[in-house]
């Protein structure tokens, strides 16, 4: 099973505070850390921790953050041979506030913004060797859509996690194998006023909507609406929980699980990931998820 992620690689500058500050408010924080992140890199690390063979594709800058992040991916067991190091461009940075069992994130894309069609063309032959290509919205949308079309043309299954939120052409929804928005992202894609159930019924076993602490929902091919409730967790930091869910889901689908089993597994992995600080540090191994599933 071989998975490719084309996406963002960020350094997360994470501040913890008692609560999320309001508009115009200055608040005293408790701690500040710089830790590896980026939705693409997080999903690749989640997959590697679960034992998958995974390659990360994208760009970093020729700065200290870029170096640290490449090293971090390698240490996690993620292949990095085709990541471009761009001269004179800063590596992507995310400013994160962690508080109240939640977070806020502002991303400055830097090198992630340079993942363009030219880069996509340069990795096309590589991608053809993978069983699944996984994408998010933290590289230019033009490139995301180009990659969806490219993979669709080559018959490679694509999972698109449309985060951060953006509207999406219907033909892209049609071309992806799985689309995994949260509720807010789903509204932007399918329009306001549509009930979750209506959206799900339109795309059975393709559309998977994550609902945070409530869990995840999809519609099975037999018309049943499947709700997989979230695991009850002693939450320390929810950053990267969605990435863990996406990574684990892709790994289990590639391993041949049906969607119910894959989502149950992914939800458990995501719940476990929230019990440690940082996007990647709490991501569980396959053995940890296995133990937790047995315990339940
Ligand atoms: O999904 C969490 C990630 O979003 C963080 O690691 C941050 O880098 C942002 O990209």
């Amino acid at each position: 099973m071989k998975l490719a992620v084309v996406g963002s690689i960020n350094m997360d500058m994470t501040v913890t505070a008692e609560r999320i500050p309001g508009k115009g408010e200055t608040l005293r924080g408790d701690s500040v850390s710089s830790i590896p992140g980026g939705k693409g890199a997080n999903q690749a690390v989640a997959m590697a921790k679960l034992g998958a063979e995974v390659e990360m594709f994208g760009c970093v800058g020729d700065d200290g953050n870029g170096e640290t992040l490449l090293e971090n991916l390698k240490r996690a067991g993620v292949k990095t041979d085709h990541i471009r190091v761009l001269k004179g461009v800063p590596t992507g940075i995310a400013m994160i506030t962690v508080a109240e069992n939640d977070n806020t994130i502002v991303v400055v894309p830097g090198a992630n913004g340079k993942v363009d069609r030219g880069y996509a063309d340069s990795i096309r032959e590589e991608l053809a060797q993978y069983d699944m290509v996984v994408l998010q919205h933290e590289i230019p949308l033009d490139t995301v859509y180009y990659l969806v079309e490219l993979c669709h043309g080559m018959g490679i299954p694509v999972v698109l996690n449309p985060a951060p939120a953006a509207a999406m052409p219907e033909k892209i929804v049609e071309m992806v194998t799985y689309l995994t928005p949260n509720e807010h992202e789903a509204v932007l894609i399918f329009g306001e006023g549509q009930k979750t159930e209506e959206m799900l019924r339109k795309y059975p076993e393709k559309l998977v909507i994550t609902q945070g602490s409530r869990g995840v929902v999809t519609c099975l091919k037999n018309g049943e609406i499947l709700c997989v409730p979230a695991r009850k967790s002693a939450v320390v930091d929810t950053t990267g929980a969605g990435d863990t869910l996406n990574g684990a889901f892709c790994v289990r689908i590639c391993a041949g699980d049906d969607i119910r089993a894959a989502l149950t597994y992914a939800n458990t992995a995501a719940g476990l990931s929230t019990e440690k600080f940082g996007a990647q540090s709490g991501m569980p191994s396959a053995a940890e998820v296995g133990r937790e599933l047995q315990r339940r």
Side-chain angles (χ1 to χ4, degrees):
M1 168 203 359
K2 287 174 67 177
L3 297 112
V5 180
V6 190
S8 57
I9 307 166
N10 291 335
M11 186 58 89
D12 290 352
M13 306 299 299
T14 303
V15 165
T16 58
E18 193 181 56
R19 59 186 172 79
I20 307 273
K23 206 171 170 184
E25 185 181 11
T26 301
L27 208 74
R28 185 188 297 272
D30 298 323
S31 70
V32 60
S33 337
S34 79
I35 31 184
K39 295 188 195 302
N42 291 344
Q43 292 178 22
V45 169
M47 293 171 194
K49 284 202 174 175
L50 293 170
E53 193 179 332
V54 49
E55 176 157 6
M56 178 77 211
F57 295 87
C59 296
V60 293
D62 62 342
D63 49 17
N65 282 343
E67 225 172 275
T68 308
L69 293 172
L70 276 180
E71 208 35 61
N72 172 68
L73 285 168
K74 286 183 198 154
R75 239 193 344 260
V78 176
K79 265 183 82 182
T80 60
D81 300 354
H82 297 87
I83 294 179
R84 261 193 208 158
V85 180
L86 303 177
K87 277 211 170 71
V89 179
T91 297
I93 287 196
M95 305 300 296
I96 304 182
T97 304
V98 171
E100 307 170 71
N101 278 358
D102 213 328
N103 62 50
T104 57
I105 306 182
V106 177
V107 180
V108 182
N112 299 307
K114 306 279 181 199
V115 181
D116 56 14
R117 286 180 182 228
Y119 177 77
D121 284 333
S122 76
I123 58 169
R124 184 195 177 116
E125 275 176 31
E126 262 327 292
L127 293 182
Q129 296 170 32
Y130 284 87
D131 299 316
M132 180 177 268
V133 170
V134 184
L135 304 166
Q136 313 76 27
H137 274 178
E138 274 188 345
I139 56 172
L141 289 184
D142 175 69
T143 315
V144 174
Y145 301 158
Y146 185 64
L147 281 161
V148 169
E149 288 181 20
L150 214 133
C151 292
H152 187 255
M154 294 192 289
I156 308 169
V158 172
V159 176
L160 175 54
N161 171 222
M168 182 182 296
E170 197 171 337
K171 73 168 190 185
I172 297 297
V173 179
E174 297 294 341
M175 273 189 254
V176 299
T177 318
Y178 295 100
L179 185 68
T180 62
N182 64 21
E183 292 168 290
H184 170 63
E185 290 150 5
V187 167
L188 258 182
I189 296 168
F190 299 104
E192 204 114 16
Q194 274 211 59
K195 291 209 178 84
T196 302
E197 207 173 305
E198 276 170 52
M199 299 183 226
L200 293 172
R201 287 200 189 285
K202 205 167 161 204
Y203 297 103
E205 298 198 22
K206 173 198 280 261
L207 179 61
V208 169
I209 302 183
T210 59
Q211 301 182 307
S213 57
R214 280 180 292 132
V216 56
V217 281
T218 193
C219 176
L220 300 181
K221 288 205 174 121
N222 66 8
E224 181 196 337
I225 298 290
L226 171 72
C227 309
V228 183
R231 168 186 182 270
K232 297 238 173 310
S233 303
V235 175
V236 173
D237 182 2
T238 55
T239 315
D243 298 328
T244 308
L245 187 137
N246 274 278
F249 175 70
C250 295
V251 168
R252 292 316 308 168
I253 288 290
C254 271
D257 279 6
D258 64 19
I259 199 162
R260 185 191 297 268
L263 286 177
T264 304
Y265 188 99
N267 230 356
T268 303
L272 286 168
S273 79
T274 63
E275 296 190 335
K276 285 194 191 133
F277 180 68
Q280 295 175 13
S281 31
M283 289 173 174
S285 65
E288 285 169 312
V289 182
R291 270 199 301 275
E292 179 62 14
L293 283 169
Q294 265 192 346
R295 193 185 68 77
R296 289 166 70 198

